[in-house]
Amino acid sequence: MQILKHVYFVYIFLGILFIYDGFVRLNNSEPHPWLSFLIGIGAVAMFFFRKKYNKKFEDHYNKK
């Protein structure tokens, strides 16, 4: 269960990776760079969502 506390860092890594890929595709005039941007923004949003709820659950279990 310890590893689940830090898995949300994978989301920020993938978000940065997809946003970088979107910029590379945009500069090379490749098709569909916006899909990479959307996936990257979604991954960054999931990072903050997971981090918020991980903190919420930790606080809940520490009160018991």
Side-chain angles (χ1 to χ4, degrees):
M1 213 51 190
Q2 263 321 70
I3 195 164
L4 291 178
K5 291 182 180 181
H6 304 291
V7 166
Y8 57 88
F9 286 111
V10 173
Y11 286 114
I12 196 75
F13 174 73
L14 289 175
I16 292 170
L17 187 69
F18 273 105
I19 291 172
Y20 173 76
D21 181 53
F23 280 117
V24 169
R25 287 180 182 223
L26 188 64
N27 289 334
N28 290 338
S29 300
E30 291 185 25
H32 309 294
W34 306 112
L35 183 61
S36 293
F37 285 123
L38 288 175
I39 293 171
I41 291 169
V44 171
M46 280 298 294
F47 166 76
F48 289 112
F49 177 78
R50 291 269 186 176
K51 188 173 179 181
K52 176 184 173 186
Y53 279 98
N54 188 28
K55 177 77 171 144
K56 184 177 179 179
F57 289 132
E58 280 183 12
D59 290 344
H60 176 73
Y61 287 121
N62 285 338
K63 287 182 181 178
K64 288 184 176 183

